[in-house]
Amino acid sequence: MTGFDASWLLLIIPAAFALGWLASRLDIRQGKRDPRDAAAPYFKGLNLLLNEQQDKAIDAFIEAVQLDPDTVELHFALGNLFRRRGETERAVRVHEHLLQRGDLPESERHRAQHALAQDFFKAGLFDRAEAAYLALKGSAYELDAELALLSLYERSRDWAHAAEVAAQLEQRGAGSFAPRRAHFLVEQALLARDAGHADEARALIDKAKHIAPAHPRAYVQDGRWKLEAGQHEAALQCFEVLANLRLSTFLLVADDYALAALGAGQAPAALARLKERYAEEPALSLLTSMKLLDPGGHAERLLAHLRLHPSLNAASGLLQPLLAAHALEVSAPLQRAVDAAAKPLLRHRCAACGFEALHYFWQCPGCLSWDSFPPRPVEEL
């Protein structure tokens, strides 16, 4: 039997050492190369994004994610880009992929949950957005989630939940939500009354007054309902409170005030009060209300207003009796022309977004802002 030749060890050991050294150098070089390879498309994407080339930027970020799938920030950047472009399905997939990762820290998981909720909200999937925002309770995003839920409930006209969230935000110290809570209660009151629950509607109106005693909407609605019920003196009292509270909003119910005064047999006193208010805030709506109480003096008051505050609507009102004495073939087209020119100026314009409407809205149909419509029309602003 041949003995073991130890000389082979002299060859094997140096060879193994050399191979190990070579492998370590290759690993080092590989480690140095990979970050550069992953970073290149990332910086390329940033450059394209700064140059407002979003399509190419997204392609670059996708390439970066493929090279380094563990990079969380790239996923968030990509998801946000998709959402901004309106590609909410792709944004949802990115953020859901993040949530499925078992190695994601809790703070990043909450961040991904918040981003996913924003995706659903942007897509109009309010049920899924609501569930996603509710899942953020107790996280660092809880306040943002509650504010988003408030907007979501307003958009879906879920006034009961909106009132609940607004109360929670107020208790949290996020600001005063009393006027909005009053709006929510009045909206619920309108729904209750339409459903035949008059007592519940009145209770909701009273609650709105209690929560926001300086807000006018509950007084407007209460006075109108009392006028409809033939409670003229009670309606007058309600409108008087409103006039003392906010004269500009009283313009919305000036005609109702005059009708309530007629029903209560208090026309002279109401006419005097309207004249006082007109002196404070000369508005055409007050002149229209005075006409209901004193038709004979309307032309004189309208002419005086026209001298001080020239407007097409005032001129249109003054032309009507003057044109009545002329032949119909002359007066009718002239009146129609003046009315057509004056009609756009009767619109109300949202102070927040510029949306215009022929009717006054407590909440703008365009931007959904509350109390953004001035009670006076565009021509009188």
Side-chain angles (χ1 to χ4, degrees), residues 74-84 90-91 94-95 119:
L74 284 177
H75 283 77
F76 280 119
L78 196 57
N80 291 337
L81 272 175
F82 283 142
R83 189 193 314 124
R84 287 181 59 185
R90 301 178 77 182
V94 169
H95 294 130
D119 297 337

Side-chain angles (χ1 to χ4, degrees), residues 125-172:
L125 303 173
F126 293 152
D127 290 344
R128 299 182 71 179
E130 179 185 11
Y133 280 124
L134 289 173
L136 290 166
K137 187 175 180 62
S139 73
Y141 295 91
E142 184 173 4
L143 179 58
D144 289 340
E146 287 186 348
L147 289 169
L149 281 170
L150 180 61
S151 177
L152 186 153
Y153 291 138
E154 286 184 356
R155 286 174 180 269
S156 57
R157 304 184 70 80
D158 186 347
W159 306 118
H161 279 105
E164 181 181 339
V165 173
Q168 291 172 1
L169 285 165
E170 203 166 73
Q171 290 174 1
R172 186 188 289 274

Side-chain angles (χ1 to χ4, degrees), residues 195-268:
H197 306 306
D199 292 340
E200 180 185 348
R202 281 193 295 270
L204 288 165
I205 290 292
D206 291 339
K207 187 176 180 181
K209 290 181 184 179
H210 176 73
I211 287 175
H215 195 268
R217 187 178 182 185
Y219 297 94
V220 169
Q221 200 59 61
D222 193 22
R224 284 176 170 167
W225 283 350
K226 286 174 178 175
L227 178 60
E228 288 177 15
Q231 302 172 11
H232 298 110
E233 291 188 3
L236 269 180
Q237 292 175 4
C238 197
F239 293 141
E240 287 288 355
V241 171
L242 178 62
N244 295 328
L245 188 67
R246 193 178 300 179
L247 181 54
S248 60
T249 309
F250 175 80
L251 301 179
L252 299 173
V253 296
D255 285 357
D256 298 312
Y257 174 80
L259 292 174
L262 287 170
Q266 299 183 28

